[in-house]
Amino acid sequence: MVSMVHNHLLFIKTIDNMPKNIPINSKRVTIKDLAKELNTTTSTVSRALHGHGTISEGMKSKVMELAKKRNFSINRYAANLRSGSSKTIGVIVPRINRDFFSNCIAGIEEVTKGAGYSIHIAQSHDILSNEKEIIKSMIESNVCAILISIGLQTTEKSHLDQLSYYGIPFVFFDRAISESSYNRVLIDDFKGGYLATKHLLDMGYKNIAHFSGDQNLEIYQNRTKGYLAALEHHGIPFNDELISKQCLTSDCGEMSIERMMNLPNPPDALFSSSDYSALGALLFLKNEGVKVPEEFGIVGFSNESFTSLVSPPMTTVDQHSIEIGKNAAFACINILKNTNKVNTTSNIVIEPSLIIRETSNRFKTKHNRPNDI
Amino acid sequence: MVSMVHNHLLFIKTIDNMPKNIPINSKRVTIKDLAKELNTTTSTVSRALHGHGTISEGMKSKVMELAKKRNFSINRYAANLRSGSSKTIGVIVPRINRDFFSNCIAGIEEVTKGAGYSIHIAQSHDILSNEKEIIKSMIESNVCAILISIGLQTTEKSHLDQLSYYGIPFVFFDRAISESSYNRVLIDDFKGGYLATKHLLDMGYKNIAHFSGDQNLEIYQNRTKGYLAALEHHGIPFNDELISKQCLTSDCGEMSIERMMNLPNPPDALFSSSDYSALGALLFLKNEGVKVPEEFGIVGFSNESFTSLVSPPMTTVDQHSIEIGKNAAFACINILKNTNKVNTTSNIVIEPSLIIRETSNRFKTKHNRPNDI
DNA sequence: TTGAAAGCGCTAACAA
DNA sequence: TTGTTAGCGCTTTCAA
């Protein structure tokens, strides 16, 4: 009988009872076992398994063969304890189900794999206490380095200082602490915000609203700065009523745009620092019968895959997420290679691209093609 | 100078050079250090840190205080090597960026955390060799158990047999090997397929096409069986030309529906085992001017978040992903608790729910509300 | 090229 | 309640 979650959604249909998963080997084969069987020593077996040091071809193949035959599996804990290195890099993101972050991870995986490191993925769910726990656990597990995109709540950095204390290098990607003395791989968020806003102005929209995220995160600050700069370059004064600075979700997007549309002088366009809140606005406007892009232009940020699927397809800023991940991993591996040598800090900035789709293209100009799934 | 990825998408804007991340402590504090400083032994310190065994309150607080002061961090490798247990559960999914899987993981996280286990997340990208490598690495890292949703290519199970060999229990969730002798947490895919198809028939659609996935995966087989059963119950013969069995992507969905619409007797509805291929069909039909749901009904499968965002919002089958994750984790922890006791196999089946949105609702009946982001 | 020996940091049985 | 002792499985220095 298994324990079950009681829930109206659930229905336990069948519960079989039969013996299963009985350990066939209660004790794992160790290099000591292999050594004994081959009348040699553990050091020789260890050398043979790694091809390290000096080892005769004959002994090597004998060991390899027996290891296979006995289904030997190395004990990483023992190896890492002894060698002092885990060959593991920790990766921390707010959430794994955002296309942006999962693409970063894909890039990281590719590079770290090539360099012989494995990764440990963890998500903070944007909760600071989770982030702290994850870092604590990663220190305990002796990760060689950490790649991190911080959570929305991360205003203090004591847990990151811990990493420095333990000599564990870390590289921020995308969401970073605002200090260039850290290793960071960012996109040029200012430029992203500028391009997006300028594009709306070029399309003839006049009164451009803006959603952004918590301004203690540099990325949102910079997207907002880009927005303001574009307005300024066009000689348009900004209107505080048209800015919503804690608006990253679909729900918030709906509410914010509803409020703004009821202003005496409502906006005719929106640049949002988040695809999700841009989507909320789009859904609200469609529901109200406001025509997008004819009467209202929208540009989001991140190129989440749904942006190409909604109707009309949404203009957005692509962050080259895979490249961000690759660069962060490269920077990290470089640091690991150069430990004890000259320490350098890398601040890599990647250029964003505006992907023009239909929500902003009121003249139906042909632009670059939307991305498909 | 840091290494960089050369790519036309990239632009390395700034590269600072300044010393950073110099290890402050080249040597970590161990329990031995703490013991020496307190004039006691490592065993006492160990006991104090865990609250295990017998320890005086005075000694305990003295140890805790010093540990904090010296910024002590336990070495998990040493602890696990000695104790023989990692208190870690491996989680393997095809891809982390599917809402379905990330929700499963959220459910798993919740339950395992409560039980004192941490998880290691890995994605196979639906590639068998990756899956094998991940399992190998997890065996080496001595995970206590594995929760796995197998990849599309996983037709043989030698790597899973390895787990049994090493006595590592594993639980399948959603995508499983078709043998009830394994621990599995599934949804009733047959019922999901049946409900979806019956709903389309109830809505008056007559000629229902079907997309599914590789039939060596039981889940797709069963969704297809549900589809066929619903047709049969309505006395409708199935038409092989209206079934596409390797159709899980948006691209494939577009191509398949295009082919079918050119048949002498084209379909007027679609039940797809994948939201993605359903989406491809929807995009194609909209583009062709076919009215959904008036002229063509569509039901997808999985309740991916984009299904509520597309226009019109898509009817789909929800799999209660969080519940699946929770149940899989519960089953797993139960097995771990009962090691050496009676071994039971759990086959838990969760009921799917049809979420009726607009792509199938040609009479504009009020149904349950679509999910929001 | 191989072996001997030490020990990574911790836990846990046993003794005091 | 605390200390003694052994050793988890591996790597690595040094010696042969």
Side-chain angles (χ1 to χ4, degrees), chain A residues 137-304:
Chain A
S137 156
M138 285 184 172
I139 291 173
E140 292 176 356
S141 309
N142 211 17
V143 293
C144 301
I146 284 180
L147 299 173
I148 181 170
S149 210
I150 60 176
L152 292 176
Q153 298 180 345
T154 307
T155 47
E156 50 123 351
K157 56 193 183 67
S158 61
H159 53 310
L160 299 163
D161 292 339
Q162 283 283 321
L163 291 174
S164 307
Y165 177 85
Y166 287 111
I168 299 172
F170 54 98
V171 177
F172 293 105
F173 60 100
D174 193 54
R175 295 208 199 158
I177 295 282
S178 325
E179 289 176 32
S180 68
S181 60
Y182 288 114
N183 298 294
R184 305 190 302 174
V185 178
L186 310 170
I187 68 148
D188 190 338
D189 287 288
F190 175 89
K191 186 159 183 183
Y194 186 89
L195 283 176
T197 310
K198 180 175 181 303
H199 165 68
L200 286 167
L201 294 166
D202 290 346
M203 285 291 163
Y205 300 104
K206 303 288 181 204
N207 206 17
I208 299 173
H210 175 53
F211 297 165
S212 198
D214 209 302
Q215 298 286 306
N216 74 301
L217 273 186
E218 211 178 10
I219 57 168
Y220 296 118
Q221 222 179 77
N222 287 337
R223 291 174 198 177
T224 298
K225 283 182 187 165
Y227 159 79
L228 294 172
L231 291 186
E232 199 185 333
H233 288 189
H234 279 68
I236 299 173
F238 79 91
N239 176 354
D240 217 30
E241 285 187 321
L242 294 185
I243 299 179
S244 178
K245 278 188 177 169
Q246 299 270 359
C247 191
L248 295 175
T249 65
S250 180
D251 281 349
C252 178
E254 286 197 47
M255 278 160 34
S256 296
I257 203 70
E258 180 172 12
R259 175 178 62 71
M260 293 176 183
M261 293 309 276
N262 285 321
L263 291 172
N265 184 19
D268 65 349
L270 164 70
F271 160 55
S272 173
S273 294
S274 152
D275 281 333
Y276 287 87
S277 51
L279 176 77
L282 174 62
L283 295 177
F284 176 83
L285 293 168
K286 275 176 66 176
N287 206 42
E288 295 286 303
V290 177
K291 282 185 186 156
V292 177
E294 292 80 358
E295 300 167 14
F296 198 103
I298 298 178
V299 180
F301 209 107
S302 285
N303 196 16
E304 286 289 321

Side-chain angles (χ1 to χ4, degrees), chain A residues 1-5 7 9-25 28 70-78 80-81 86 96-97 99 102 105 109 113 120-121 123 125 130 133 139-142 162 164-170 180-183 188 250-251 276 279 283 286 306 309-311 320 323 326-327 330 334 343-351 372-373, chain B residues 1-5 7 9-25 28 70-78 80-81 86 96-97 99 102 105 109 113 120-121 123 125 130 133 139-142 162 164-170 180-183 188 250-251 276 279 283 286 306 309-311 320 323 326-327 330 334 343-351 372-373:
Chain A
M1 184 64 183
V2 299
S3 90
M4 31 182 127
V5 187
N7 187 307
L9 297 174
L10 276 189
F11 188 71
I12 309 296
K13 203 176 168 191
T14 65
I15 297 175
D16 302 336
N17 274 314
M18 49 166 79
K20 187 63 201 162
N21 279 329
I22 301 159
I24 296 176
N25 278 19
R28 268 151 83 149
R70 293 275 168 271
N71 212 359
F72 169 78
S73 169
I74 197 170
N75 184 328
R76 286 275 160 231
Y77 285 137
N80 294 341
L81 172 60
S86 65
I96 52 175
N97 66 340
D99 289 305
S102 65
I105 291 174
E109 276 178 339
K113 203 173 182 179
H120 276 185
I121 305 165
Q123 54 181 342
H125 293 284
N130 285 348
E133 255 177 58
I139 291 173
E140 292 176 356
S141 309
N142 211 17
Q162 283 283 321
S164 307
Y165 177 85
Y166 287 111
I168 299 172
F170 54 98
S180 68
S181 60
Y182 288 114
N183 298 294
D188 190 338
S250 180
D251 281 349
Y276 287 87
L279 176 77
L283 295 177
K286 275 176 66 176
F306 70 78
L309 310 176
V310 290
S311 176
H320 304 304
E323 299 305 322
K326 281 188 189 175
N327 274 275
F330 269 121
N334 236 270
N343 285 289
T344 66
T345 301
S346 37
N347 261 273
I348 299 176
V349 179
I350 293 176
E351 294 281 288
D372 260 333
I373 288 196
Chain B
M1 185 64 185
V2 300
S3 92
M4 32 181 126
V5 186
N7 186 308
L9 297 174
L10 275 189
F11 189 71
I12 310 295
K13 204 177 168 190
T14 66
I15 297 174
D16 302 337
N17 273 315
M18 50 164 80
K20 187 63 201 161
N21 279 329
I22 301 159
I24 297 174
N25 279 19
R28 267 152 82 150
R70 294 272 168 273
N71 212 359
F72 169 78
S73 169
I74 197 171
N75 184 327
R76 286 276 158 229
Y77 285 138
N80 294 340
L81 173 61
S86 64
I96 52 175
N97 66 341
D99 290 304
S102 65
I105 291 174
E109 277 177 337
K113 202 173 183 179
H120 275 185
I121 304 165
Q123 54 181 341
H125 293 284
N130 284 348
E133 255 177 58
I139 291 173
E140 292 176 356
S141 308
N142 210 18
Q162 282 282 323
S164 307
Y165 177 86
Y166 287 110
I168 299 173
F170 53 99
S180 68
S181 60
Y182 288 113
N183 298 293
D188 189 337
S250 179
D251 281 349
Y276 287 87
L279 175 76
L283 295 177
K286 275 176 67 178
F306 70 78
L309 311 176
V310 290
S311 175
H320 304 305
E323 299 305 321
K326 281 188 188 174
N327 274 275
F330 270 121
N334 236 270
N343 283 289
T344 66
T345 301
S346 39
N347 261 274
I348 299 175
V349 179
I350 294 176
E351 295 282 289
D372 260 333
I373 288 198

Side-chain angles (χ1 to χ4, degrees), chain B residues 60-70:
Chain B
K60 192 171 163 182
S61 55
K62 254 167 57 183
V63 170
M64 292 304 236
E65 199 182 325
L66 185 67
K68 190 158 190 182
K69 191 170 157 198
R70 294 272 168 273

Side-chain angles (χ1 to χ4, degrees), chain B residues 151-163:
Chain B
L152 291 175
Q153 297 181 347
T154 307
T155 47
E156 51 122 350
K157 56 192 182 68
S158 61
H159 52 311
L160 300 163
D161 292 339
Q162 282 282 323
L163 291 174

Side-chain angles (χ1 to χ4, degrees), chain B residues 178 210 212-222 224-225 243-246 273:
Chain B
S178 325
H210 174 54
S212 197
D214 209 302
Q215 299 285 306
N216 75 301
L217 272 186
E218 212 178 8
I219 58 168
Y220 296 117
Q221 222 179 77
N222 287 337
T224 299
K225 282 183 187 164
I243 298 179
S244 179
K245 278 188 179 169
Q246 300 269 0
S273 295

